[in-house]
Amino acid sequence: MSGDGRGGATRAEYCVIACAEAWRGAGEILASPMGLVPSLGARLARRTFAPDLLLTDGEALLVGPDGTVEGWLPYRQHLALVTGGRRHVMMGASQIDRYGNQNISCVGDWSLPRRQLLGVRGAPVNTLNNATSYWVPRHSRRVFVAKVDMVCGVGYDRAAAHPGTARFHRLPRVVSDLGVFDFATPDRSMRLASLHPGVTVEQVEEATGFALAVPEEVPYTREPSVEELRLIREVLDPGNARAREVQG
Amino acid sequence: MSDKTMTAEEAVARLESGMTLGIGGWGSRRKPMALVRALLRTEITDLTVVSYGGPDVGMLAAAGRIRKLVAAFATLDSIPLEPHFRAARERGAFELMEVDEAMFMWGLHAAANRLPFLPVRAGIGSDVMRVNPSLRTVTSPYADGETFVAMPALRMDAAFVHVNRADRLGNGQYLGPDPYFDDLFCEAADTAYVSCERIVDTAELTEEAPPQSLLIKRHVVTGVVEAPNGAHFTSCAPDYARDEPFQKRYAGTAWPEFAERFLTGDEHAYQAAVRAWREEEA
């Protein structure tokens, strides 16, 4: 295992920590992680600093940390919970722009796509109703683009045009294999919030297809604690599936 | 009371080209695949398909039966991208009304409640509005004055759903963890055809499971089809899980080759061909 942090954490482990931090202070809400690393992050957060989080089994059941079923959440109730707002989802993004507009529908012209992807899924309802973060396992100019081909998840510039309807719009963070990003700038454009240890600002800028806001001092993503590393390695992901999603 | 049992062939014989057809289930979960296969054996085409899309959409698209699709996605779940849906989209094979998952659900609710639309806080600000220029908004008449998408009713000529058990009258029961939206599909359609793993006596329905599992009520059901393994290769918990190896085969095989091997005969022949394939692979 490589890694430059003092704790000997791998890049994938910093990503898990960075995802987990999305749910710090979230309270008693549903964490909806999509994908492996966000899922490890959410489960780690619940086992440590965010014990009140609700999590599903990936289907229709709400389950406790040990797998005990504590509730029922079929799709129709899940959609009501989204609209009720007591949820923070972390979705994937095939494309994302500097204001956080996200695309998972298709690449190219929508009427005849060059590459058909999933479709908009629940991205429009998620972004107008509950906190929505994003996870990008391979940070590149193909993903961090100047303009997304189809706006599925609503970004800050578009939300600003609909202040009433978008009053619950919030994009807390974007986590990639290179760092953590937020929209804490005056014009709500994307900002580099932290670098994973071993990554440089230049590397991030090179892999991003738009001008990022970069503070003078960019912190590093925090170190995992000994206990967090133990939980990730021995309890949550003993098969090290995280290393297949994030190299290094 | 009337016995509504019929064969899959009798059910699809009541459909016509150009109809709007709703298909229940979700992605690659409890899809009425036996009814879809029966439809593929007819010449019916030019369909408007309304679906939380899975291989139902993929197969009908591959066979060129879809004129217009109303969907939020098409996926095989364990294989994220439905390959035939994808190929059909990339060759511009059908018109698409792409809406959000919640917009879709409210469209079903509107139709089931005989409302022209329902307001949804989803879609505004997204390109769903750009790619569906016919979508309109509605403003709250109250002090908040908020603007919503007026999601139009998704009224359908016919609906196909698959459940675990049903009686001969059309009372349908799901036994898995999620009802999906099958009751809404039946309520939002002029006719509904319910296939099931097993037809049982009405009294037996509540012997196995509580009355809350009685998802579909007979007044919205036109026909009941007994189709054991009728959701194959999608999941039908707790009766069976998704047939992952077979789904992989479906996703990885050119459509003409797949259709030739598995879809030229009737449902019995399909199930036999799947068994033969499984033995070959073992």
Side-chain angles (χ1 to χ4, degrees):
Chain A
M1 289 199 195
S2 66
D4 304 304
R6 285 161 300 163
T10 66
R11 180 68 57 78
E13 287 158 356
Y14 285 114
C15 291
V16 171
I17 291 295
C19 288
E21 286 290 333
W23 286 285
R24 186 181 286 277
E28 201 159 20
I29 65 160
L30 180 72
S32 285
M34 317 238 165
L36 175 75
V37 165
S39 169
L40 293 173
R43 289 158 64 204
L44 180 69
R46 179 165 65 173
R47 280 177 178 268
T48 54
F49 53 78
D52 293 334
L53 287 177
L54 297 148
L55 277 162
T56 74
D57 64 347
E59 301 226 3
L61 300 176
L62 290 164
V63 293
D66 63 354
T68 302
V69 175
E70 62 167 335
W72 184 50
L73 194 67
Y75 282 121
R76 59 181 70 192
Q77 289 194 8
H78 201 140
L79 286 169
L81 191 150
V82 170
T83 321
R86 297 189 64 82
R87 177 176 184 253
H88 182 160
V89 60
M90 187 175 278
M91 300 186 79
S94 304
Q95 294 178 326
I96 190 164
D97 73 14
R98 64 190 303 236
Y99 293 107
N101 295 294
Q102 167 253 28
N103 176 20
I104 48 172
S105 170
C106 64
V107 175
D109 176 11
W110 179 86
S111 57
L112 190 64
R114 193 160 69 244
R115 201 173 146 80
Q116 174 64 41
L117 305 172
L118 284 170
V120 295
R121 294 221 65 149
V125 72
N126 287 343
T127 46
L128 286 199
N129 288 283
N130 59 210
T132 304
S133 291
Y134 294 106
W135 159 242
V136 178
R138 238 160 283 151
H139 194 128
S140 77
R141 285 174 175 256
R142 287 178 55 170
V143 179
F144 289 76
V145 295
K147 189 175 186 301
V148 303
D149 292 333
M150 168 84 179
V151 175
C152 304
V154 175
Y156 276 105
D157 54 343
R158 285 176 167 242
H162 304 277
T165 312
R167 64 197 164 113
F168 306 118
H169 177 266
R170 192 163 71 89
L171 308 179
R173 62 171 55 196
V174 178
V175 179
S176 80
D177 59 332
L178 299 184
V180 179
F181 307 83
D182 62 21
F183 300 90
T185 51
D187 70 344
R188 313 313 304 264
S189 64
M190 199 185 290
R191 180 187 79 137
L192 176 56
S194 78
L195 290 164
H196 300 326
V199 180
T200 65
V201 171
E202 293 69 34
Q203 217 178 318
V204 172
E205 286 178 328
E206 181 54 37
T208 304
F210 52 83
L212 266 175
V214 181
E216 269 180 39
E217 294 281 318
V218 183
Y220 284 107
T221 304
R222 77 165 173 86
E223 295 295 325
S225 70
V226 172
E227 174 61 4
E228 284 171 333
L229 274 183
R230 186 191 72 80
L231 284 168
I232 295 170
R233 292 174 180 176
E234 295 175 22
V235 179
L236 298 174
D237 186 27
N240 200 18
R242 62 194 178 280
R244 288 194 290 278
E245 192 160 294
V246 179
Q247 275 88 48
Chain B
M1 279 186 283
S2 51
D3 184 327
K4 293 175 187 162
T5 55
M6 57 177 71
T7 64
E9 282 67 28
E10 286 167 337
V12 296
R14 295 170 176 234
L15 267 52
E16 287 168 28
S17 291
M19 277 188 166
T20 297
L21 173 67
I23 304 178
W26 173 288
S28 191
R29 303 169 197 211
R30 219 179 67 233
K31 282 286 175 180
M33 297 304 285
L35 290 172
V36 170
R37 287 187 283 267
L39 184 58
L40 286 170
R41 290 193 294 272
T42 71
E43 299 295 311
I44 293 166
T45 188
D46 206 29
L47 294 166
T48 293
V49 172
V50 178
S51 176
Y52 283 110
D56 53 329
V57 165
M59 285 188 175
L60 291 169
R65 307 302 180 90
I66 303 179
R67 183 184 65 76
K68 180 181 175 182
L69 176 68
V70 181
F73 58 81
T75 179
L76 296 175
D77 292 299
S78 52
I79 300 169
L81 305 181
E82 214 303 333
H84 300 304
F85 158 73
R86 184 175 181 180
R89 269 283 282 154
E90 290 171 5
R91 62 174 187 269
F94 52 76
E95 190 189 329
L96 179 64
M97 180 182 181
E98 183 169 355
V99 294
D100 170 88
E101 288 169 18
M103 293 172 72
F104 188 109
M105 178 181 77
W106 288 110
L108 294 179
H109 274 291
N113 287 275
R114 299 192 297 181
L115 292 168
F117 70 89
L118 277 168
V120 195
R121 192 192 294 112
I124 301 274
S126 80
D127 276 344
V128 163
M129 304 308 284
R130 173 175 65 88
V131 303
N132 295 290
S134 66
L135 281 178
R136 295 287 174 267
T137 58
V138 61
T139 303
S140 165
Y142 298 107
D144 55 270
E146 268 191 63
T147 300
F148 302 94
V149 173
M151 179 61 198
L154 294 174
R155 192 73 208 171
M156 296 162 286
D157 296 306
F160 285 172
V161 303
H162 184 80
V163 293
N164 302 88
R165 306 283 178 270
D167 66 12
R168 309 176 80 84
L169 308 173
N171 294 302
Q173 179 177 51
Y174 79 109
L175 297 172
D178 200 318
Y180 309 120
F181 299 87
D182 289 354
D183 48 339
L184 281 175
F185 275 99
C186 294
E187 291 163 16
D190 293 340
T191 58
Y193 301 92
V194 178
S195 62
C196 63
E197 289 300 309
R198 191 149 57 83
I199 291 177
V200 298
D201 289 337
T202 305
E204 210 182 307
L205 289 169
T206 42
E207 278 169 20
E208 234 187 306
Q212 301 94 296
S213 62
L214 297 172
L215 181 65
I216 293 159
K217 288 154 242 321
R218 61 184 165 80
H219 71 288
V220 291
V221 174
T222 311
V224 180
V225 176
E226 188 169 62
N229 216 26
H232 183 269
F233 49 94
T234 70
S235 64
C236 187
D239 290 314
Y240 46 90
R242 185 178 304 130
D243 187 341
E244 298 287 1
F246 190 81
Q247 172 164 289
K248 216 167 153 186
R249 169 69 189 241
Y250 159 77
T253 308
W255 175 252
E257 188 190 320
F258 182 86
E260 172 63 30
R261 170 141 190 201
F262 296 103
L263 300 172
T264 45
D266 61 7
E267 180 67 12
H268 185 77
Y270 169 81
Q271 300 286 355
V274 172
R275 280 193 300 274
W277 176 79
R278 198 172 292 140
E279 273 164 35
E280 252 172 54
E281 296 293 301

